[in-house]
Amino acid sequence: LDRALAAKYVQLILTHRRRVAAAQTGMSLPESMRPRVEICDQPQSSFVTATFELPGLKKEEIGVHLTNDGHLTISGDRRPPPFINNTDPALTVYPVKELKYGRFERTIDVPVGLEVKDINASLADGMLSVSWPRAISPSA
């Protein structure tokens, strides 16, 4: 727990330093979006389910990556439609642009030893559901 907290603290400090340096040079940093997530961990269920909010994305645009040290990362790139970035004044103008586009990534902790074959994922209506077993059985 101490190592995890220390690593998070160092990550926050480095991010802050990069932002300060970027502000001093007048450059802006591309921010990675973090999809919202809900994790359902019912004690009576043998599975834990995380549901990620990914509106407008197809399954081919989403990456699901698992590391050996117990991290599950959902990532991808949400690209704007071609007409959004128009420069022709004769085309439609967007006085309000609140939708976010660009790279996204979200990492959550999962049990160490979890394997890809143990994970179930499905995408429906912009919601990615990823389930994994609560208890990991030792590999044979």
Side-chain angles (χ1 to χ4, degrees), residues 3-74:
R3 272 187 269 151
L5 289 173
K8 187 67 173 174
Y9 179 73
V10 168
Q11 182 182 20
L12 288 171
I13 294 293
L14 293 175
T15 301
H16 175 72
R17 286 183 182 169
R18 282 193 299 265
R19 288 187 181 167
V20 168
Q24 289 172 346
T25 60
M27 297 174 62
S28 63
L29 288 175
E31 292 222 11
S32 179
M33 294 184 288
R34 282 185 60 184
R36 294 188 291 188
V37 65
E38 291 182 343
I39 299 177
C40 182
D41 187 8
Q42 295 178 322
Q44 66 272 22
S45 174
S46 58
F47 286 88
V48 176
T49 302
T51 303
F52 297 85
E53 189 177 55
L54 300 171
L57 292 171
K58 299 176 187 135
K59 65 181 180 180
E60 301 83 29
E61 300 171 314
I62 301 168
V64 179
H65 306 281
L66 179 66
T67 64
N68 292 333
D69 58 349
H71 298 293
L72 178 70
T73 300
I74 307 300

